[in-house]
Amino acid sequence: MNKLRILIIGCVKFSYELTKKILENNRVEIVGICTKKKSDFNSDFVDLAIIAKKKRIPYIYSNNINTEHNKLWIKHKKPDYILCIGWPNLLSEKIFKIPKFFTIGYHPADLPNNRGRNPLIWTIILDLKQSASTFFKINKQPDAGEILLKKKFRISKNENASTLYKKVINISISQIDNLILKLYKTRKKKILIKKKDKKILGNVLRKRVYKDGVIDWRMDAYSILRLVRALNYPYPGASFYFKNKEYKVISAKIVKSCPVVEPGKVIEKSKQFTIIKCGKYAIKILKLNQKIYCKKGDYIL
C-alpha cells in the first residue's frame, strides 16, 4: 500500500498524543517532525523528538518554522500533507504550500466562530455551552481555511482548563482515523478540491496577556470562578497579589451569603480556606500554590 507521507509540526502535549495516534494508522508514514527543544511560551510543552528518536523519524528543532533552512528541510521530505498541531506561530505561505496536496491545521473551536488565540481559555471565560474539534486546510488567514472534519461537543457546567484539554485530546484522537481515510481517498482519486474563497463569517478571539489572568475583586464571583477554572493546568493559573507577593488560585467556590463590604476584603480566614469579597458575592479559596499569611479584615489587591 502506498502510504500517505505526512510531516508533523508541533510542540505540546496535544501534538504528542495525536502523533502517537497517527503512528497506529497503517495508511500513514510520518516522514518528518518539526518541534522545539524548549519553550517559555507553552505551559503544556512537549519535545516531539521523544517520539522521533524512538520511531527513527527524521526531526529538526526550530524556534522559527518559517526560515529558509526549515523550508528546504521540509521540502526534502516530500510530504503529501503537513499536519500542524499545537504550534505557537503562524506558518508562512512558503511553508504551508510545500506539500503535494495541502497543510492541515487544528483548532478546538466551532469554526468559523472563535478563530484566533487561546480558544480553550476563552471557551470557559465566555461561558460557552458548546464547542467543536475542527481540522481545516491552512491558508493565509488564521483558522479560516476549508473545514475538513468537525465534531461538536458540549461544555460541562463545571468545566476547567484541565478537563477541557483532556476532552479535546480524546475527541481529536477519535477523529484521526476518519481524517486519514478522507485524505487517503482524496489522494487515491487524485482529487484536490478547490473552492472559491468565501467571505469569512464568525469572530476572531484576541490574544490574552498576563494581566488578563490577574483577578480584579470588583468582578462578580461567577466571573472570577470562571477565570480560575479557565487558567487551571495546563495554563499558568489565575493570580492575585498580597503584600507584593503573587498567589495562584488552584481551586475555589462561590459564597453567596456574605456581608456588604468592599471588594477585595478578607471576610473570613482559617487554615483550610480564605473568603474574599467580590463585586457580587464572595470567593472561597480552597487551594493556592503557596500558603498565604493574611487575616480577616485585610485587603487583597
Side-chain angles (χ1 to χ4, degrees):
M1 179 172 61
N2 195 6
K3 295 185 177 184
L4 296 178
R5 296 175 60 83
I6 293 180
L7 183 135
I8 291 174
I9 300 174
C11 64
V12 297
K13 179 175 173 57
F14 179 78
S15 322
Y16 177 79
E17 296 298 335
L18 262 67
T19 300
K20 287 199 302 180
K21 177 62 179 178
I22 290 167
L23 282 166
E24 295 174 4
N25 194 297
N26 60 12
R27 288 191 172 97
V28 173
E29 177 187 359
I30 297 179
V31 296
I33 292 175
C34 301
T35 189
K36 287 180 180 286
K37 200 167 191 176
K38 63 178 181 177
S39 175
D40 297 323
F41 179 82
N42 300 102
S43 52
D44 56 340
F45 167 74
V46 174
D47 177 1
L48 296 192
I50 298 169
I51 294 178
K53 291 173 183 178
K54 186 176 181 180
K55 298 295 182 179
R56 297 183 179 180
I57 299 168
Y59 71 94
I60 54 169
Y61 287 123
S62 176
N63 289 321
N64 177 10
I65 195 65
N66 296 315
T67 64
E68 190 65 21
H69 174 267
N70 290 339
K71 174 188 170 183
L72 294 173
W73 189 87
I74 293 170
K75 200 169 185 179
H76 184 261
K77 303 307 169 190
K78 297 180 181 179
D80 293 326
Y81 301 95
I82 289 175
L83 181 55
C84 184
I85 42 177
W87 192 257
N89 309 110
L90 296 176
L91 305 187
S92 68
E93 189 171 359
K94 69 180 180 182
I95 298 295
F96 71 69
K97 283 197 170 181
I98 289 175
K100 182 177 180 180
F101 293 97
F102 49 81
T103 293
I104 303 157
Y106 176 83
H107 198 63
D110 191 4
L111 297 181
N113 298 310
N114 297 324
R115 306 190 310 277
R117 298 294 194 99
N118 311 120
L120 296 185
I121 295 174
W122 282 118
T123 292
I124 297 173
I125 293 290
L126 297 174
D127 200 22
L128 300 183
K129 308 303 180 188
Q130 180 176 277
S131 189
S133 173
T134 310
F135 291 90
F136 63 96
K137 292 182 184 178
I138 287 180
N139 62 18
K140 292 180 181 179
Q141 300 182 64
D143 311 319
E146 177 189 340
I147 292 171
L148 298 168
L149 209 61
K150 182 195 288 191
K151 187 171 184 178
K152 294 186 179 183
F153 60 88
R154 299 290 297 173
I155 307 298
S156 303
K157 184 179 179 181
N158 295 314
E159 201 87 67
N160 61 39
S162 183
T163 60
L164 184 55
Y165 195 93
K166 290 176 184 176
K167 181 181 289 187
V168 163
I169 287 177
N170 290 334
I171 292 171
S172 60
I173 284 174
S174 74
Q175 294 173 282
I176 284 294
D177 286 342
N178 286 336
L179 176 66
I180 290 171
L181 180 60
K182 184 172 184 176
L183 298 178
Y184 186 78
K185 287 180 177 178
T186 298
R187 189 199 66 169
K188 192 174 181 181
K189 294 178 181 178
K190 297 182 179 179
I191 296 172
L192 181 55
I193 301 171
K194 292 183 178 180
K195 295 186 177 181
K196 292 182 179 179
D197 289 337
K198 296 180 180 179
K199 184 178 179 180
I200 301 166
L201 303 175
N203 62 301
V204 179
L205 300 167
R206 72 166 172 83
K207 179 182 178 181
R208 292 179 59 81
V209 295
Y210 170 78
K211 67 179 182 180
D212 288 320
V214 179
I215 295 170
D216 183 340
W217 297 102
R218 294 169 296 181
M219 297 162 61
D220 67 81
Y222 286 100
S223 296
I224 292 174
L225 186 60
R226 285 201 300 273
L227 183 64
V228 170
R229 290 193 282 111
L231 291 177
N232 240 243
Y233 179 84
Y235 303 115
S239 63
F240 65 86
Y241 286 81
F242 179 65
K243 293 185 177 180
N244 298 317
K245 193 171 184 179
E246 185 180 23
Y247 295 86
K248 300 281 187 178
V249 183
I250 297 170
S251 64
K253 64 187 290 187
I254 293 171
V255 175
K256 291 186 178 181
S257 178
C258 55
V260 181
V261 295
E262 315 94 305
K265 190 170 187 176
V266 178
I267 58 178
E268 194 171 339
K269 180 71 175 78
S270 75
K271 290 182 179 180
Q272 289 75 36
F273 60 83
T274 304
I275 301 179
I276 303 172
K277 182 68 173 65
C278 308
K280 184 178 181 181
Y281 303 134
I283 283 289
K284 185 176 186 178
I285 298 174
L286 302 171
K287 188 176 182 181
L288 290 167
N289 65 327
Q290 58 183 314
K291 191 171 183 179
I292 184 169
Y293 294 96
C294 65
K295 61 183 183 299
K296 183 176 180 179
D298 281 343
Y299 288 92
I300 307 294
L301 298 180

